[in-house]
């Protein structure tokens, strides 16, 4: 199986022993989804109206067609825009260092 990283960041897969088991470098292509935000309503809290928006995802840019034995890792927003693509994944189970910075993930997820 081949993993194509369509994010701008290196993906470190952390193994059971808490070391980096696999590094997936960025492919140089970043898949993105267009999005449109519209006002859905509002809520009033302590006399203040807080807008509630609804986001609609549109066209996905730079996502290759499915390829045999290949999965694509994209941003969460991009994955949400193509929920029927069985070959599109996001990183899951983030691992953080002692300063709270994300240093990798333990798994991938399908949206």
């Amino acid at each position: 199986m081949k993993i194509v990283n369509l994010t701008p960041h290196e993906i470190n897969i952390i193994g059971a022993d808490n070391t980096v088991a696999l590094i997936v470098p960025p492919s140089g292509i970043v898949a993105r989804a267009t999005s449109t935000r519209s006002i859905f309503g509002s809520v009033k809290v302590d006399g203040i109206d807080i807008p509630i928006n609804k986001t609609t995802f549109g066209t996905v840019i730079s996502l290759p067609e499915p390829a045999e034995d290949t999965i694509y890792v994209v941003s969460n927003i991009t994955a949400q825009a193509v929920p029927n693509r069985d070959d599109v994944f996001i990183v899951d189970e983030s691992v953080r260092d002692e300063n709270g910075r994300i240093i990798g993930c333990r798994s991938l997820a399908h949206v």
Side-chain angles (χ1 to χ4, degrees):
M1 184 64 68
K2 177 182 175 184
I3 299 175
V4 177
N5 178 357
L6 298 175
T7 77
H9 311 286
E10 181 176 271
I11 297 171
N12 296 319
I13 308 292
I14 308 296
D17 64 355
N18 289 325
T19 63
V20 177
L22 178 66
I23 298 172
V24 185
S27 66
I29 299 168
V30 178
R32 300 215 183 266
T34 61
S35 62
T36 304
R37 207 175 267 123
S38 58
I39 296 176
F40 182 74
S42 66
V43 294
K44 189 174 286 246
V45 178
D46 294 332
I48 299 170
D49 280 324
I50 302 171
I52 305 291
N53 293 331
K54 180 177 181 176
T55 303
T56 304
F57 302 106
T59 305
V60 175
I61 301 161
S62 299
L63 178 61
E65 291 297 319
E68 188 173 337
D69 295 326
T70 302
I71 61 173
Y72 302 101
V73 179
V74 300
S75 70
N76 197 337
I77 289 173
T78 302
Q80 288 179 55
V82 290
N84 296 326
R85 286 279 302 259
D86 293 335
D87 59 339
V88 173
F89 295 85
I90 60 170
V91 296
D92 198 25
E93 296 184 274
S94 296
V95 176
R96 297 177 183 271
D97 67 12
E98 60 279 352
N99 297 314
R101 291 183 300 241
I102 295 176
I103 58 169
C105 66
R106 295 201 184 278
S107 61
L108 301 177
H110 188 268
V111 176

